[in-house]
Amino acid sequence: MTVLLGRDHRGFQRDRDASRSPAIIAAAFLFSMLVLVLGYAAFGFWTMLIFTSGFLGGFALWLFFPANPSFASIKTPYFLALALFVLHRIEEYSMDFFDRPVAITGISTPDVGSWQVILLVLLSVGAWLLVPPLVSRGYRFGTYLAWTFFAAMGITELAHFVVFPWFTPQPFAYFPGMASVVMLAPVAWWGMWRLSRRNLI
């Protein structure tokens, strides 16, 4: 069924047809599974399992909330979350985050130039950078990508508090990445809230 989009006199994007074609749903599901397969190839089962909250969780939320909002409605939380995500990665790198999962799982982290890591970054982070043009044009796959981005930032990253601290010598001691997640997660929740709403600017 054709999706018709328009804007009213206030600039709101109207979603006249909340349905999604089976092809778009299948593409979104297969994309999520591909990211998880690459996550497994790069980091092993347990790290891949954490990824599911962002990609399968984002997919499920995208299905549950049929709104197809304009990019203007998520612009501020998107760019703020993106900036905080960069800050989060800097914190993780400077505090040797990637050495900690190796100690926990016993699975060595692949070289950053390995094909698994390169493809994983291109498919996840690369796809998230396409959110502005895709959502602006009303593409539902873009809305799906926005859901995975905010779910990864607002749900997956909570592993720094609800999963990783259990594997530290002192329960609930600082785990690399914790500090920036305190700012990142609430911004991502804000983005998910706005994604779930209709007719927001």
Side-chain angles (χ1 to χ4, degrees), residues 49-50 53 97 104 151-168 171-178 181-182 185 189:
L49 193 62
I50 294 174
S53 60
F97 166 81
I104 294 171
M153 301 301 106
I155 301 175
T156 302
E157 295 296 353
L158 292 179
H160 287 273
F161 288 94
V162 300
V163 176
F164 297 141
W166 294 100
F167 298 96
T168 58
F172 298 103
Y174 169 80
F175 197 93
M178 268 186 172
V181 171
V182 171
W189 302 336

Side-chain angles (χ1 to χ4, degrees), residues 49-74:
L49 193 62
I50 294 174
F51 287 170
T52 61
S53 60
F55 287 90
L56 286 184
F59 173 75
L61 289 167
W62 174 68
L63 290 179
F64 187 78
F65 294 102
N68 197 38
S70 67
F71 181 66
S73 67
I74 63 168

